[in-house]
Amino acid sequence: MTEDESSGVRLNTETPASPRTPNEAFNQLVYGNRFPTNAQKLSYTAADVPDEKTQWLIEGFLAKKKISVLAGEKSKGKTTITCACAAMTSHGKVSSQNDPRGNSFKVLMYSNEDSPSELKNRLIAAGAKIDYVHFPPPTTCDPYQPTDNLVDARRIMNDIRNMGKQVDLIIIDNISQFLHNFPNSAKGIRTALNQLNAIADKYNCAILLVTHVQKDSIKKDPVDRIVGGAAITQVARIIMVAEKLAGYENYGFGIRIISNIYPPGQIRPYRVVKCIIDTAIGPTETTRVEFADEFIEENDDAPPPAQKKETLVMQCARFITEFLGDRTVASNTVKNEALRRGFSARTFERAREYLKLVTVKQKTPDGRWESAISFPKQSEKSESVGLLTDQPCAANDEHF
């Protein structure tokens, strides 16, 4: 150990040992000689930390040197949202000024959700400068062990070098592409995301990861719904949850922002629309995202939410009530009519249980016995029907 006479800081002058673990090797690969190992401070104070202002690539969504996570259920337009973010970035719609490369920024996209041609169509629909959106070159693989869509830190850095070491946004859709080499644990996920953090810091870029939310988790906290939740949110600085937005007729969905570097409780309404674009093979149908002009706050006086849709069981129960009346009708007759109106056999049986119908035997005109259903008596019928709403019965083509 020696002491620097000018600063009084003790320096480590010992010859650094070679990397002992893959993680140490990765750190050496990323950081290189930025912090010379033979001249490291042994102790830092808060005064040594430089002040840093958040550089928004897209305000509220993406920030340079930060990881953002976009999560949502199926059919919420997550991939289309990523294409919209890529399009805005390609046009230089960012908060940083006087960029030496002008107004067009580079995007690197990895996706195992859609083919390159489908992504290209959505990028065109979003108005992207497609010359600035890069896809990784295809790699050959064993058809029985497909690995061409998998991503690791070395491949990302190699692709960035092939882009001239200039990248502003990296998109990985889906995050499972990157986590395949790490243990399926909180520690493994944090280690993986820390590598991405290092890449974002090294190249001064934003990283957008796409993932899903757990099924049947509507009532849970949005952060808890994310697959890999706590481990991901501990590293990512911006969490975006795509979900249904009740009460806004023009925008059926909203992106809820959860972040410690952006005002809390912000939601960006959006909608997914179909459109036709001109391609080399002719008009092609694709989708694009249209965002509302401004964020809304979760505690704003929003329009009243739409009335909760009557469940299929309740709809079928209402149909049975109206169809039976005070009669006793063959159960097959009622069931066939319910199926004709779009209800499933299971929904019909659950509606029967809900109404507490009784089954009786009745004789047909040709002398056969058949099963029939009816309400046990008028008082019980009124009690069962009293639980139904006053909305009219509507046939539904969905099955329970």
Side-chain angles (χ1 to χ4, degrees):
M1 299 287 179
T2 61
E3 185 171 314
D4 187 353
E5 297 180 357
S6 61
S7 63
V9 175
R10 298 179 67 199
L11 302 177
N12 180 9
T13 58
E14 297 176 0
T15 303
S18 58
R20 292 172 296 177
T21 66
N23 207 41
E24 289 180 6
F26 168 78
N27 291 336
Q28 189 178 73
L29 174 66
V30 170
Y31 293 111
N33 296 324
R34 203 166 79 187
F35 301 111
T37 55
N38 64 344
Q40 288 183 340
K41 286 186 177 183
L42 296 182
S43 177
Y44 282 87
T45 68
D48 295 315
V49 180
D51 296 331
E52 187 178 83
K53 183 180 180 181
T54 301
Q55 289 183 290
W56 288 105
L57 197 61
I58 300 176
E59 186 177 353
F61 285 11
L62 305 171
K64 289 193 172 184
K65 298 186 179 181
K66 309 293 182 185
I67 292 179
S68 298
V69 172
L70 172 62
E73 296 177 347
K74 185 179 179 181
S75 302
K76 295 296 185 294
K78 297 188 298 295
T79 301
T80 310
I81 292 172
T82 63
C83 290
C85 292
M88 286 186 276
T89 302
S90 70
H91 282 277
K93 294 184 179 180
V94 298
S95 57
S96 57
Q97 287 84 23
N98 301 322
D99 187 89
R101 284 170 283 148
N103 292 326
S104 297
F105 296 155
K106 292 184 178 181
V107 181
L108 176 59
M109 291 189 72
Y110 300 92
S111 176
N112 62 357
E113 298 286 328
D114 297 275
S115 68
S117 61
E118 292 173 332
L119 292 175
K120 178 183 176 182
N121 291 340
R122 296 187 189 185
L123 288 166
I124 293 173
K129 293 183 177 180
I130 57 177
D131 290 339
Y132 289 87
V133 181
H134 295 248
F135 296 151
T139 58
T140 57
C141 66
D142 184 343
Y144 297 100
Q145 294 181 346
T147 57
D148 57 329
N149 282 330
L150 301 182
V151 183
D152 57 30
R154 292 182 181 274
R155 180 179 182 184
I156 292 175
M157 295 182 66
N158 184 62
D159 290 337
I160 294 174
R161 282 193 291 268
N162 293 336
M163 295 169 60
K165 297 184 179 181
Q166 293 180 343
V167 64
D168 296 275
L169 173 60
I170 300 173
I171 298 173
I172 302 178
D173 181 8
N174 185 287
I175 191 175
S176 59
Q177 285 183 283
F178 190 79
L179 299 179
H180 66 97
N181 277 335
F182 297 88
N184 187 20
S185 64
K187 182 179 179 181
I189 294 175
R190 284 196 298 270
T191 301
L193 297 188
N194 283 334
Q195 289 193 359
L196 292 177
N197 252 336
I199 293 175
D201 186 67
K202 178 180 177 67
Y203 294 102
N204 191 32
C205 66
I207 295 181
L208 175 59
L209 307 177
V210 183
T211 186
H212 299 284
V213 297
Q214 298 173 0
K215 295 181 179 179
D216 302 326
S217 58
I218 299 299
K219 296 182 180 180
K220 291 184 178 179
D221 184 270
V223 173
D224 296 333
R225 299 175 60 197
I226 298 173
V227 176
I232 291 178
T233 56
Q234 287 171 0
V235 180
R237 295 276 68 87
I238 304 162
I239 306 296
M240 301 180 287
V241 181
E243 55 191 8
K244 286 186 177 181
L245 186 63
Y248 289 83
E249 295 181 359
N250 295 330
Y251 299 96
F253 305 103
I255 299 178
R256 184 186 303 274
I257 308 297
I258 304 168
S259 174
N260 59 2
I261 60 174
Y262 198 72
Q266 301 293 310
I267 300 176
R268 188 67 177 267
Y270 73 95
R271 61 190 172 206
V272 180
V273 298
K274 293 183 178 180
C275 60
I276 303 294
I277 61 171
D278 292 326
T279 65
I281 59 174
T284 303
E285 183 177 291
T286 185
T287 58
R288 71 169 185 267
V289 166
E290 295 179 353
F291 292 101
D293 294 335
E294 298 178 350
F295 284 90
I296 61 173
E297 292 189 6
E298 193 171 2
N299 57 355
D300 272 355
D301 294 330
Q307 190 171 9
K308 185 177 180 181
K309 185 179 179 180
E310 196 175 29
T311 65
L312 291 176
V313 173
M314 295 292 288
Q315 290 183 24
C316 189
R318 181 173 294 281
F319 153 72
I320 293 173
T321 301
E322 294 176 353
F323 188 81
L324 284 180
D326 297 329
R327 301 179 300 161
T328 298
V329 183
S331 56
N332 283 338
T333 301
V334 183
K335 182 177 180 179
N336 290 337
E337 182 63 20
L339 295 177
R340 190 185 69 81
R341 291 178 176 240
F343 299 108
S344 68
R346 184 185 177 192
T347 301
F348 173 75
E349 295 300 330
R350 294 186 65 183
R352 280 185 57 177
E353 294 177 4
Y354 173 79
L355 292 174
K356 301 178 181 179
L357 300 179
V358 296
T359 303
V360 298
K361 291 289 185 178
Q362 67 178 10
K363 202 170 186 180
T364 63
D366 58 359
R368 294 184 298 106
W369 291 93
E370 65 178 1
S371 176
I373 56 176
S374 67
F375 288 99
K377 56 184 179 181
Q378 188 66 27
S379 60
E380 294 186 20
K381 173 188 173 183
S382 300
E383 181 181 348
S384 299
V385 178
L387 299 175
L388 300 176
T389 64
D390 292 331
Q391 297 178 0
C393 175
N396 196 306
D397 57 356
E398 301 177 28
H399 283 197
F400 184 82

